[in-house]
């Protein structure tokens, strides 16, 4: 006959006291793994639900400046670490670092803004500015600008990690 064994979940120790790295973050069990709230917690996952919104003007004058306000929010439950806001502006815009938040730097075609940590329930606003040189633009031309947010923690809701605006 067939040999089988059923292991009831009640026979297994909780994930936060089983001596294993269940979420792959190289940290094992409570109190070392920040995903564990206590030894009886059965989920080691380090979660920080980040969201991002981006606001800017409806239009920009030729040879003018366009300024976007990006708001990053951590809906928890954990603090988000090494938060990266990556902005992809239209190739027709030129990044203005002196008029942008000092945490933001040009990185190839992206503008990257680094937030070391963002606590649960906290938000941070970031300003990024660009010039719209008249030699690059035509009247009524749409400009697309996309931003996304990520961190070292698992994000349980990724659909709110992107924000775009159209000029």
């Amino acid at each position: 006959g067939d040999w089988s064994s059923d292991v009831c979940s009640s026979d297994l120790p909780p994930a936060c006291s089983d001596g294993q790295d269940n979420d792959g973050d190289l940290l094992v069990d409570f109190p070392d793994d920040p995903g564990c709230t206590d030894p009886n917690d059965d989920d080691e996952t380090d979660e920080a639900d980040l969201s991002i919104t981006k606001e800017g003007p409806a239009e920009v004058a030729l040879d003018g400046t366009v300024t976007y306000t990006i708001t990053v929010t951590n809906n928890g439950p954990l603090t988000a670490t090494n938060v990266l806001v990556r902005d992809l502006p239209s190739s027709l815009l030129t990044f203005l670092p002196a008029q942008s938040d000092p945490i933001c730097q040009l990185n190839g075609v992206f503008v990257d803004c680094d937030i070391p940590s963002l606590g649960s329930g906290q938000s941070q606003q970031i300003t990024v500015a660009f010039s719209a040189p008249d030699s690059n633009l035509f009247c009524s031309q749409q400009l697309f600008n996309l931003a996304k947010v990520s961190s070292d923690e698992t994000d349980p809701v990724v659909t709110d990690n992107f924000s775009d605006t159209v000029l």
Side-chain angles (χ1 to χ4, degrees):
D2 290 334
W3 182 84
S4 65
S5 174
D6 290 331
V7 178
C8 296
S9 61
S10 62
D11 295 339
L12 300 174
C16 289
S17 58
D18 66 358
Q20 297 183 29
D21 179 14
N22 298 299
D23 60 355
D25 64 357
L26 304 179
L27 300 170
V28 178
D29 293 346
F30 180 82
D32 296 329
D33 192 321
C36 294
T37 56
D38 63 56
N40 296 316
D41 188 350
D42 201 30
D43 183 4
E44 276 189 13
T45 306
D46 307 335
E47 290 186 346
D49 179 17
L50 297 176
S51 63
I52 188 170
T53 59
K54 187 174 192 176
E55 297 177 359
E59 55 187 50
V60 61
L62 294 178
D63 209 23
T65 299
V66 58
T67 302
Y68 296 104
T69 300
I70 299 170
T71 303
V72 177
T73 302
N74 179 1
N75 299 301
L78 297 179
T79 295
T81 56
N82 297 316
V83 178
L84 173 64
V85 175
R86 175 160 274 181
D87 189 64
L88 177 61
S90 166
S91 61
L92 301 176
L93 297 176
T94 303
F95 179 57
L96 298 173
Q99 296 177 33
S100 299
D101 198 295
I103 66 170
C104 301
Q105 297 180 358
L106 190 61
N107 180 13
V109 298
F110 301 105
V111 174
D112 286 348
C113 307
D114 296 310
I115 304 169
S117 68
L118 190 62
S120 179
Q122 291 184 329
S123 294
Q124 182 164 338
Q125 285 194 333
I126 300 167
T127 300
V128 288
F130 302 90
S131 65
D134 60 9
S135 60
N136 292 342
L137 299 174
F138 301 101
C139 290
S140 301
Q141 184 171 3
Q142 286 189 329
L143 301 178
F144 295 91
N145 191 315
L146 175 68
K148 74 172 197 167
V149 65
S150 61
S151 74
D152 286 352
E153 287 68 34
T154 301
D155 193 324
V157 182
V158 295
T159 54
D160 57 1
N161 292 9
F162 299 88
S163 183
D164 60 356
T165 58
V166 179
L167 287 179

